[in-house]
Amino acid sequence: MSIRQWLVFFHDLLWVPLAAGLAWWTRFNLEAISTAFVHGLVRFVGVALVAQAVSNAFFGLYRGVWRFASLPDLVRVLKAVGVGAAGSFILGFLLFRLEGVPRSALLLYPVFLALGLAGPRILYRWMKDRHFDVSTTERRVLIIGAGEAAAALLREMRNTRRYFPLGLLDDDKNKHGREVQGVRVLGAVAALPEWIRRLTPDLVLIAAPSLPPAKRREVVEACARAGIPCRILPPFEAIAEGRVELAAVREVSIQDLLGRPEVKLDEAPVRALLEDAVVLITGAGGSIGSELARQIARFAPARLVLVDHGEYALFRMEREMEARLARERFVCVLADVRDSQRMRMILEEHRPQILFHAAAYKHVPIVERNPVEGVEVNAVAAWRLMELAEEMGVARFVQISTDKAVNPTNVMGAAKRAAEIAAQGMAQQGARTRFITTRFGNVLGSAGSVVPLFEEQIRKGGPVTVTHPEITRYFMTIPEAVRLILQAAARGEGG
């Protein structure tokens, strides 16, 4: 044991004679103890030291850290005292029939011992945690939320001493005016602007995983108007696993403000489609292609063929897939979809039953300036790949398109629309392959999405440019987009 553990060991044993002496003294109304009972006290302490030392070690009283003493530590103390006291009385009865041991000591001794062992631990924790010292902290923080996540965050703040919590805001009226970890719940979240004016915090932290997106937007907007940074705690899963740390606090992302629950996947038809199937993904290193690979891996395909022309993107996906699938169940292939001969070789070798075509040029301005390449990749290469899929007996071909293919006004959209027409045409000609097309609007975080442009414009202080003042944009997350692709692949009849 370490020096500290030895100190705890001797501290706990010291309380055995002290607790016994207090029990005997209390029995005699705090007056002198008669000689016969003094002999009984000495003999009892002798056996109690042995019994209690064994019990304390068995229940792990020397493993706990006093700085973080908590309810589980108190429970361990009570168990150790109960078992140790019972053992002491049994040994005393067997060795000297408990002569000189007052019957009242059977109740008083374990009570005094429990107080002696638990009291210093709780007192030490209280002395360490009794207050935040603003002089040793760097930032004054206002916290949104007064639940388990906020309590965990406050404990972490006490340990790091880098933040000073000014107060908590929570919509639960029952908590208003009360305290969490010694920090007062000031009022409702809607009162945030008022409390920002009154307290002038350096930072606002959202520590409420269940806070609705609309409320999150209110918080973010209030902080933006006041010019105060706003950060958010990780999702509930991280809190439940005990991974709440100040280092995990991050900036509020657009995903946090989605404004609706994420769409969930009806897994039964998707599992029936993908399980034990050979699946090929083009553009597998991109944002949509890589998420397709992640989600498809969950359904145990016979083989997952990842095709991309970017070496680093493919290397990154190979490393990631090694943690998700057995090595023989996936293969990464470096290839350009414009190379029809190379794509023919890949399809002949792997014979995929399902092909997801995610490879494309997506950035409208770049494709506008390079129309030949845009048409070659987004339209011609897609059409040739469809013909190859039909020739090689691919059961389902999923063409991933865009809403810009609707009445297209730019080269990227027109090329994508041409690929859609090719898929429809193949289906109408009675092809064996089912050609299925999916269109997306704005996918948060995907390559080519408008969101990164907005974020960059905001970082630079604006302006945020939109196509038209009355335009309405609809957003989905990358996982949602891929779930919808898989749903379409499972349900689509082609055409």
Side-chain angles (χ1 to χ4, degrees), residues 350-427:
H350 298 288
R351 294 288 174 178
Q353 295 151 282
I354 307 159
L355 194 156
F356 293 92
H357 183 45
Y361 286 145
K362 301 179 182 180
H363 292 272
V364 172
I366 292 179
V367 174
E368 203 69 16
R369 292 193 296 269
N370 300 274
V372 174
E373 287 75 11
V375 170
E376 187 178 3
V377 170
N378 290 1
V380 177
W383 176 39
R384 288 174 180 166
L385 190 58
M386 292 174 201
E387 292 182 322
L388 281 174
E390 165 70 8
E391 181 184 336
M392 298 295 173
V394 175
R396 290 174 185 255
F397 184 106
V398 182
Q399 165 70 18
I400 297 170
S401 191
T402 171
D403 61 352
K404 295 176 181 64
V406 183
N407 299 322
T409 58
N410 52 61
V411 175
M412 195 278 272
K416 279 291 192 179
R417 179 65 185 133
E420 291 181 0
I421 293 170
Q424 289 173 311
M426 296 285 290

Side-chain angles (χ1 to χ4, degrees), residues 97-166:
R97 296 291 176 177
L98 291 178
E99 293 179 8
V101 178
R103 297 300 173 258
S104 58
L106 297 176
L107 295 175
L108 294 173
Y109 166 71
V111 171
F112 285 126
L113 184 60
L115 290 173
L117 299 189
R121 287 170 165 83
I122 296 171
L123 181 63
Y124 185 82
R125 169 73 186 265
W126 176 78
M127 290 177 63
K128 287 290 186 179
D129 287 353
R130 69 185 185 277
H131 64 83
F132 285 91
D133 183 2
V134 70
S135 65
T136 62
T137 57
E138 296 178 359
R139 310 185 76 178
R140 301 163 73 251
V141 179
L142 195 56
I143 298 173
I144 307 299
E148 291 293 332
L153 185 65
L154 289 169
R155 283 193 292 270
E156 179 74 10
M157 284 182 175
R158 279 198 176 92
N159 296 336
T160 60
R161 301 280 174 173
R162 293 189 292 113
Y163 295 86
F164 178 73
L166 298 169

Side-chain angles (χ1 to χ4, degrees), residues 125-438:
R125 169 73 186 265
W126 176 78
M127 290 177 63
K128 287 290 186 179
D129 287 353
R130 69 185 185 277
H131 64 83
F132 285 91
D133 183 2
V134 70
S135 65
T136 62
T137 57
E138 296 178 359
R139 310 185 76 178
R140 301 163 73 251
V141 179
L142 195 56
I143 298 173
I144 307 299
E148 291 293 332
L153 185 65
L154 289 169
R155 283 193 292 270
E156 179 74 10
M157 284 182 175
R158 279 198 176 92
N159 296 336
T160 60
R161 301 280 174 173
R162 293 189 292 113
Y163 295 86
F164 178 73
L166 298 169
L168 308 170
L169 296 177
D170 196 286
D171 286 335
D172 186 348
K173 293 182 179 179
N174 295 325
K175 296 178 180 177
H176 294 175
R178 302 176 72 178
E179 291 187 352
V180 177
Q181 299 285 327
V183 180
R184 191 175 181 83
V185 182
L186 303 172
V189 177
L192 176 62
E194 177 188 349
W195 286 108
I196 287 177
R197 286 193 298 272
R198 291 172 62 177
L199 301 176
T200 60
D202 300 315
L203 177 69
V204 171
L205 282 179
I206 300 176
S210 60
L211 193 69
K215 281 286 185 182
R216 292 181 192 173
R217 283 200 300 274
E218 289 180 16
V219 172
V220 171
E221 288 168 2
C223 293
R225 287 193 296 270
I228 294 172
C230 182
R231 301 289 184 268
I232 192 167
L233 222 55
F236 180 77
E237 291 77 9
I239 298 165
E241 294 168 10
R243 293 185 281 113
V244 174
E245 298 176 355
L246 288 171
V249 172
R250 57 177 173 78
E251 290 189 10
V252 179
S253 69
I254 292 180
Q255 283 87 340
D256 295 316
L257 311 176
L258 189 60
R260 55 172 174 77
E262 279 200 324
V263 173
K264 299 302 179 184
L265 178 66
D266 181 7
E267 292 196 352
V270 177
R271 184 174 297 280
L273 174 71
L274 298 175
E275 197 168 28
D276 294 326
V278 178
V279 182
L280 186 145
I281 303 171
T282 67
S287 50
I288 297 295
S290 60
E291 182 63 21
L292 264 171
R294 293 183 196 103
Q295 293 197 26
I296 291 171
R298 292 174 45 234
F299 296 100
R303 188 182 310 120
L304 189 54
V305 184
L306 307 178
V307 178
D308 201 284
H309 76 290
E311 180 189 22
Y312 176 71
L314 207 59
F315 167 75
R316 189 188 69 237
M317 284 306 300
E318 185 172 46
R319 295 289 300 273
E320 186 174 340
M321 284 298 110
E322 285 174 351
R324 297 175 184 267
L325 284 173
R327 194 64 185 84
E328 65 274 9
R329 281 182 172 260
F330 76 94
V331 60
C332 293
V333 181
L334 192 63
D336 191 328
V337 292
R338 290 177 292 186
D339 188 343
S340 298
Q341 192 60 36
R342 174 67 171 143
M343 295 308 298
R344 176 186 292 276
M345 291 170 59
I346 294 169
L347 266 61
E348 284 179 343
E349 180 181 356
H350 298 288
R351 294 288 174 178
Q353 295 151 282
I354 307 159
L355 194 156
F356 293 92
H357 183 45
Y361 286 145
K362 301 179 182 180
H363 292 272
V364 172
I366 292 179
V367 174
E368 203 69 16
R369 292 193 296 269
N370 300 274
V372 174
E373 287 75 11
V375 170
E376 187 178 3
V377 170
N378 290 1
V380 177
W383 176 39
R384 288 174 180 166
L385 190 58
M386 292 174 201
E387 292 182 322
L388 281 174
E390 165 70 8
E391 181 184 336
M392 298 295 173
V394 175
R396 290 174 185 255
F397 184 106
V398 182
Q399 165 70 18
I400 297 170
S401 191
T402 171
D403 61 352
K404 295 176 181 64
V406 183
N407 299 322
T409 58
N410 52 61
V411 175
M412 195 278 272
K416 279 291 192 179
R417 179 65 185 133
E420 291 181 0
I421 293 170
Q424 289 173 311
M426 296 285 290
Q428 289 168 1
Q429 291 173 11
R432 293 172 299 168
T433 302
R434 290 185 181 180
F435 290 94
I436 300 161
T437 298
T438 62

Side-chain angles (χ1 to χ4, degrees), residues 69-77:
S70 58
L71 186 60
D73 295 296
L74 178 59
V75 172
R76 278 197 294 270
V77 167

